[in-house]
Amino acid sequence: MPQKPIRLPILPHLRVKNANPKQENPCVRVMGSLLACWASAGYNTAGCAVIEQQLRTCMDAKKPPPLPRSTINYHLTRFQKRFTGTTKSS
């Protein structure tokens, strides 16, 4: 017995949310640790010197290469007419 084709609802546009997530800066955590150290110990250079050095090292390090961008939304836009067909008149 042949099956009926699946009919999808008409969508205004096809899109994947957050297809290109933001890459987190690795120095943010070290900066948060340094701020927490300063808040707990006061601005004491002797107590937070190790964390300050870690932050300097992190900031001087070379940036990691950016992640390749996803092209899924571009291709969904190209093929939208094939997926959605004609629109329903109200």
Side-chain angles (χ1 to χ4, degrees), residues 10-12 80-81 84-90:
I10 296 174
L11 301 172
Q80 182 174 6
K81 290 179 185 175
T84 57
T86 58
T87 58
K88 212 192 264 187
S89 60
S90 352

Side-chain angles (χ1 to χ4, degrees), residues 51-70:
I51 301 174
E52 287 178 20
Q53 187 59 37
Q54 287 176 352
L55 181 62
R56 285 191 182 100
T57 305
C58 183
M59 296 297 285
D60 292 339
K62 190 174 182 179
K63 287 175 94 176
L67 296 173
R69 293 185 54 86
S70 174

Side-chain angles (χ1 to χ4, degrees), residues 8-82:
L8 298 174
I10 296 174
L11 301 172
H13 60 278
L14 297 174
R15 219 169 152 73
V16 176
K17 292 183 181 180
N18 297 330
N20 297 312
K22 290 198 170 200
Q23 191 172 7
E24 183 181 332
N25 187 344
C27 298
V28 171
R29 290 184 181 164
V30 180
M31 180 64 145
S33 299
L34 182 63
L35 293 174
C37 181
W38 284 345
S40 64
Y43 182 68
N44 184 1
T45 56
C48 302
V50 175
I51 301 174
E52 287 178 20
Q53 187 59 37
Q54 287 176 352
L55 181 62
R56 285 191 182 100
T57 305
C58 183
M59 296 297 285
D60 292 339
K62 190 174 182 179
K63 287 175 94 176
L67 296 173
R69 293 185 54 86
S70 174
T71 58
I72 185 72
N73 286 328
Y74 168 74
H75 292 294
L76 285 174
T77 303
R78 282 182 45 219
F79 294 121
Q80 182 174 6
K81 290 179 185 175
R82 293 182 189 177

